[in-house]
Amino acid sequence: MAASMRAVVFLLTRPSWTWTAGAVVCLMVATGAAQSSVPRPPNAEKPTTAVAVPHPPEKQPSPVESDDDSNTIRVNVKLVNVFSTVTDATGGPVTTLKQDDFRVFEDGKPQKIAVFQRESELPLSIVIAIDASLSTRNEHKLELESARRFAHAILRPIDAVTLFQFSEVVDQLTPFTSDMRVLDKGIGHVRNGAATALYDTLYLGSDALMRRRGRKVMVVITDGGDTVSKTSYQEAVRAAQEAEVILYSIIIVPIESNAGRDIGGEHALIQLSRDTGGKYYYASSTDQLDSAFKQISDELRTQYLIAYYPSQRLSDSEFRRIEVKIDPATKDYPDPAELQVRHRTGYYTMPSQ
């Protein structure tokens, strides 16, 4: 899949959407608001979306056909964007590196960097998804207040945030907006539910970000459990990878006891955060929640954009793995060996069916 440049039910007079397991129910409130498309369920056919990307430095050759190997997949060579976060030994962002300090590999083969930007000013599209199930009811107040402070701190006029709540259903409480009044009103409408449709939320949040331009980010606040989703973990992972979402997971740990925690759900969130170039945090207090949101905000302001045109047109797999490394000979940092680079692990050359 070609990567784009990188990253919740309308209120009152806006359209209001509610997704249930395996179905999407659109509740339209009669208004003069502009019509919006309803997100697709996991197995629905996906329309083609045109994405503008920079032209390659040289004319692209005609697609190469595979004569004999029926397992070989042919793809169009398009710009692959890799948003990367570099941190030092203390976990703090490193923002002083140059293009020559990075090495990029696709399926183990070195790639030539075509685009490089530091501290990207590309717009941010952020899905904030709040677990409203009964298992997190005691933490709702601190979750909502921390989310509100994060949105106020991160938003610029070019950015947009949408708010989701999820329990046994997934509700989009606001459209993508940079208007804090709309977001504050949406946060005020979060209501408790019963079960937890976490994977449905990851899928539908990724779907909402698919058509956005710039950087695409999802911040999920949850205790990690999933009890009613119709979407599988694998479908949620693929949706996030195809939409080029960077996932940040804030996992709420009960203060009183760890009994009843869904360790499997936590591990799934941790792995998905790593695979998309994001990060996970544990929190059990307002201070820890605020700290997690602050770290996310700092990272989103200090990312590197690295983009390349794949040198190989043929592959034995529809998923290509990406690796970004720091040149050990760099002079732009005293001890390059201590630097850690986070980025998405790869991309799909073809959309899911």
Side-chain angles (χ1 to χ4, degrees), residues 43-350:
N43 296 322
E45 182 179 354
K46 297 184 178 181
T48 302
T49 303
V51 180
V53 297
H55 293 292
E58 299 178 358
K59 183 178 180 181
Q60 297 182 20
S62 299
V64 179
E65 298 290 346
S66 175
D67 295 329
D68 302 316
D69 190 355
S70 60
N71 294 323
T72 299
I73 297 172
R74 175 170 54 83
V75 298
N76 292 324
V77 177
K78 295 183 179 179
L79 192 69
V80 176
N81 305 302
V82 188
F83 287 91
S84 303
T85 299
V86 182
T87 56
D88 59 22
T90 67
V94 175
T95 63
T96 58
L97 300 177
K98 302 179 178 64
Q99 177 173 331
D100 291 341
D101 298 324
F102 291 89
R103 299 289 180 266
V104 182
F105 301 85
E106 181 177 290
D107 287 343
K109 299 178 176 62
Q111 306 295 314
K112 181 180 179 181
I113 297 176
V115 176
F116 179 83
Q117 294 180 8
R118 289 189 298 181
E119 302 184 29
S120 176
E121 291 301 315
L122 286 172
L124 281 166
S125 293
I126 304 175
V127 170
I128 299 178
I130 297 175
D131 188 342
S133 63
L134 288 177
S135 60
T136 63
R137 64 187 180 278
N138 294 332
E139 290 79 30
H140 275 175
K141 183 176 180 180
L142 60 95
E143 290 175 7
L144 296 176
E145 288 305 313
S146 290
R148 188 195 308 273
R149 286 190 288 272
F150 168 72
H152 277 264
I154 194 67
L155 271 179
R156 303 166 299 176
I158 63 171
D159 301 328
V161 172
T162 183
L163 181 66
F164 278 69
Q165 71 171 14
F166 60 98
S167 52
E168 66 273 17
V169 296
V170 183
D171 295 322
Q172 187 178 8
L173 298 180
T174 74
F176 280 100
T177 180
S178 59
D179 188 338
M180 282 310 309
R181 294 171 298 179
V182 175
L183 289 171
D184 286 345
K185 186 174 289 187
I187 289 173
H189 280 74
V190 173
R191 296 291 181 267
N192 291 110
T196 311
L198 175 60
Y199 297 152
D200 287 349
T201 303
L202 296 174
Y203 181 93
L204 292 168
S206 298
D207 183 84
L209 288 164
M210 179 73 76
R211 292 168 291 278
R212 303 291 298 181
R213 301 295 181 90
R215 294 177 290 164
K216 295 178 277 191
V217 176
M218 194 185 315
V219 181
V220 178
I221 312 167
T222 179
D223 61 359
D226 187 292
T227 58
V228 295
S229 285
K230 292 301 183 183
T231 304
S232 68
Y233 171 72
Q234 291 74 20
E235 288 173 322
V237 169
R238 177 148 188 165
Q241 290 278 18
E242 290 188 355
E244 299 178 27
V245 171
I246 305 172
L247 175 67
Y248 290 92
S249 303
I250 302 179
I251 302 170
I252 304 299
V253 180
I255 299 175
E256 309 85 11
S257 172
N258 289 335
R261 283 173 57 185
D262 185 343
I263 303 299
E266 291 180 23
H267 290 171
L269 280 173
I270 289 169
Q271 188 61 51
L272 185 53
S273 297
R274 288 171 173 167
D275 287 348
T276 60
K279 195 173 181 179
Y280 69 94
Y281 304 86
Y282 282 101
S284 60
S285 67
T286 300
D287 288 345
Q288 291 175 348
L289 265 173
D290 286 344
S291 176
F293 275 121
K294 183 180 185 305
Q295 291 181 57
I296 295 170
S297 179
D298 290 344
E299 284 198 2
L300 293 177
R301 300 188 187 284
T302 56
Q303 288 176 323
Y304 297 89
L305 168 59
I306 301 169
Y308 66 93
Y309 293 97
S311 59
Q312 300 294 320
R313 297 183 64 81
L314 300 179
S315 175
D316 293 331
S317 170
E318 62 178 343
F319 186 80
R320 294 191 175 189
R321 302 199 67 84
I322 299 171
E323 189 173 10
V324 178
K325 298 180 179 180
I326 303 298
D327 186 344
T330 179
K331 304 297 183 184
D332 295 318
Y333 193 81
D335 186 6
E338 76 173 21
L339 298 181
Q340 298 289 324
V341 187
R342 294 204 321 273
H343 56 85
R344 60 180 174 135
T345 56
Y347 68 97
Y348 287 93
T349 58
M350 301 177 67

